[in-house]
Amino acid sequence: MTKPRRHRPRYPALAAALALGGLATSSCGVEPEVARQQQQITVAVDAGQPTPPDFIGGDVAYEVLPDGGVR
Amino acid sequence: MKLTLFVNHLCNLRCTYCYTGEKVDRRMPDEVMRRAIDFAVNTTTQGYLLLAFFGGEPLLEPKLIAGALRHARDRCIEKKLQLHTAMTTNGTVLDDERVALLKKHGFRVKLSMDGGRAAQDANRRFVNGRSSYEVVAGGLRRLVAAGIPTVVGAVLDPNNAHLLGESFDELVALGATHVTFAPNYTADWSEAARARLEQGLTALGDRYLAHLRAGREVRVDPLVGKIVTHLDRGAAARAICRFGVSELAVAPSGRLYPCDRLVNQDDDDAVCIGDLERGLDLEKRDRLLPARREEPPMCDGCELKARCKRFCGCANYETTGDPGAVSPVVCAFEQAFIDEADRVGNVLYAERNPVFLKQFYAGRSA
């Protein structure tokens, strides 16, 4: 049963679905950011632009050392 | 696909509300780690792998993590998948080496910390009962200084609910820009505890107002998330978890679960949806998928249902034993969060607060 509400939103909703970026709601913490990046990638690909390099998963020219360090 | 590896059940803290069961030294074998990654890259249809590490405390296993990153990198290059990395950590073992690992591999970190000393020590102490506050505060500062994207994940519990406002302030003072408070739904929320929660939520809203009025671009959830559900009425629906579909958690044994919150001690067959030997039990997974369930009768006519998380399979399972059934506890929290979110949203919009307008209206007022 919904309790009577003390406050009702008087800030306007957005007229159309808007890319809210990392502001999407989730308690899980990281997925909305990936969703946002995916959305940007999709937009970039659709526009014929190259995929931004920082979306490829970071610099792949690294070496992970056996002890867990990196160089 | 999001793949969460439980690298070990071991942890050096003894948080009172921890939902991951007994802290035994059960490390994920390298072979299980590799097979889990192979399974995910061969299964995903989404063009990326979000490789997440959890435990126990995952940073007690840096070698395993380094090996997983190496294997995931090779497999993602081979499969032309993007690789994203994430970790939930208690922040107690963030030395130079581990911070460098997180930085180098582009990790997004969820640091578990409840607030200032009082809130942190109420529930998050070391095995020997010692305070973890100074160590974890140092960990947060190091993550921030290294420029590692960090969300602070705090647990909202009956014994820290009254501290919500000051907890947010203290975390911001340590450098956090995004704090998310998640309720311990299974705690005893007595009438007195609910009263403290109501006071704490108002204080949290007030502190959020104060930070934005001071021009600070900070975010606190669930308030911001609930503002978004009003701005964009489809937001809650789009955030429906992909419970076992595009999200999988793997226990050290190789057993598969639809969400990291359900791995626990790896002994609940009701929510285990397969293993790396036999693969996914699709029939069982689909039975658990809360998004495919009919709307619970208790939600009939509720004006807030477009804004709530009744679809959260793990919260529902935790509180009712059924991923598709909403508990009155979850419902009460959702109502309280939405109410406070709308209070602060109304104030900030009425004031045409520049940070609020920038964050939610691309800098313009209607």
Side-chain angles (χ1 to χ4, degrees):
Chain A
M1 184 69 72
T2 312
K3 285 198 310 189
R5 301 197 64 205
R6 290 177 302 173
H7 306 286
R8 288 179 181 279
R10 295 190 301 276
Y11 52 104
L14 299 167
L18 177 72
L20 286 162
L23 293 173
T25 178
S26 168
S27 60
C28 303
V30 289
E31 293 87 340
E33 182 58 26
V34 171
R36 183 185 69 80
Q37 293 185 353
Q38 290 301 309
Q39 190 175 36
Q40 290 188 3
I41 291 162
T42 304
V43 170
V45 170
D46 288 350
Q49 298 164 3
T51 306
D54 58 333
F55 293 151
I56 300 174
D59 175 13
V60 293
Y62 54 72
E63 180 67 21
V64 183
L65 302 173
D67 66 355
V70 292
R71 66 180 178 197
Chain B
M1 167 176 275
K2 178 184 179 188
L3 176 73
T4 303
L5 300 181
F6 271 61
V7 295
N8 201 331
H9 289 281
L10 195 65
C11 188
N12 53 340
L13 295 187
R14 289 294 180 273
C15 306
T16 56
Y17 42 60
C18 183
Y19 55 83
T20 65
E22 201 181 339
K23 308 300 170 223
V24 293
D25 188 4
R26 198 183 305 147
R27 179 184 187 272
M28 175 176 277
D30 288 350
E31 178 60 18
V32 170
M33 171 272 286
R34 281 192 290 271
R35 290 180 67 179
I37 291 169
D38 291 347
F39 183 82
V41 299
N42 290 332
T43 305
T44 184
T45 56
Q46 296 166 296
Y48 73 90
L49 171 66
L50 168 56
L51 182 61
F53 296 92
F54 203 103
E57 169 47 41
L59 285 174
L60 296 177
E61 298 289 350
K63 289 183 185 174
L64 179 64
I65 291 169
L69 291 167
R70 222 171 14 233
H71 187 65
R73 177 200 60 185
D74 292 346
R75 295 306 319 275
C76 285
I77 289 172
E78 181 190 324
K79 291 279 188 177
K80 297 185 169 53
L81 299 173
Q82 293 165 32
L83 174 62
H84 300 274
T85 47
M87 179 180 292
T88 300
T89 175
N90 65 26
T92 58
V93 290
L94 283 163
D95 58 12
D96 289 346
E97 185 181 301
R98 289 173 174 88
V99 170
L101 181 79
L102 297 172
K103 177 76 176 172
K104 185 70 180 176
H105 294 272
F107 271 86
R108 294 182 177 278
V109 172
K110 188 165 191 178
L111 176 77
S112 300
M113 185 177 187
D114 284 353
R117 186 182 298 278
Q120 176 77 2
D121 289 345
N123 294 308
R124 303 187 61 83
R125 289 178 175 268
F126 281 104
V127 175
N128 61 3
R130 185 166 58 91
S131 165
S132 65
Y133 174 74
E134 291 295 344
V135 176
V136 181
L140 174 55
R141 286 194 199 96
R142 302 191 80 183
L143 289 170
V144 172
I148 295 168
T150 301
V151 176
V152 176
V155 175
L156 172 51
D157 189 74
N159 66 2
N160 67 19
H162 61 296
L163 299 171
L164 268 177
E166 66 183 76
S167 291
F168 181 47
D169 269 358
E170 297 197 49
L171 291 167
V172 170
L174 290 170
T177 54
H178 184 180
V179 180
T180 179
F181 290 94
N184 173 11
Y185 292 118
T186 57
D188 177 16
W189 288 98
S190 64
E191 199 170 319
R194 290 198 301 272
R196 292 197 300 278
L197 170 68
E198 201 159 312
Q199 287 174 348
L201 262 182
T202 304
L204 181 64
D206 286 343
R207 296 314 305 156
Y208 177 63
L209 287 173
H211 286 295
L212 263 64
R213 284 168 175 159
R216 294 186 200 104
E217 294 194 30
V218 294
R219 169 176 178 168
V220 62
D221 280 306
L223 300 186
V224 167
K226 292 308 180 193
I227 288 171
V228 171
T229 63
H230 169 65
L231 291 170
D232 176 359
R233 292 181 188 280
R238 282 203 299 279
I240 287 176
C241 61
R242 301 292 291 153
F243 213 63
V245 177
S246 57
E247 178 177 357
L248 269 183
V250 187
S253 65
R255 277 158 54 100
L256 306 173
Y257 292 84
C259 169
D260 50 40
R261 285 191 71 92
L262 297 179
V263 175
N264 206 290
Q265 292 180 171
D266 188 20
D267 57 1
D268 188 351
D269 289 337
V271 286
C272 176
I273 55 171
D275 59 51
L276 292 171
E277 289 289 333
R278 293 169 298 172
L280 276 174
D281 181 339
L282 295 174
E283 196 179 313
K284 190 172 181 184
R285 181 199 67 184
D286 289 350
R287 278 201 309 271
L288 291 171
L289 263 177
R292 295 188 184 180
R293 300 293 185 88
E294 290 178 6
E295 189 171 289
M298 71 180 283
C299 302
D300 282 351
C302 176
E303 62 176 302
L304 300 179
K305 63 185 173 189
R307 302 179 65 185
C308 94
K309 60 182 285 185
R310 69 191 183 285
F311 48 75
C312 178
C314 62
N316 292 345
Y317 186 74
E318 246 181 7
T319 51
T320 68
D322 178 348
V326 186
S327 88
V329 176
V330 174
C331 179
F333 272 104
E334 290 296 289
Q335 292 184 51
F337 292 154
I338 291 171
D339 205 45
E340 184 57 25
D342 286 346
R343 180 179 79 87
V344 298
N346 289 342
V347 172
L348 289 165
Y349 189 78
E351 294 176 358
R352 301 296 190 266
N353 177 275
V355 178
F356 187 74
L357 294 181
K358 179 182 172 190
Q359 287 185 334
F360 299 109
Y361 295 94
R364 298 183 295 270
S365 58

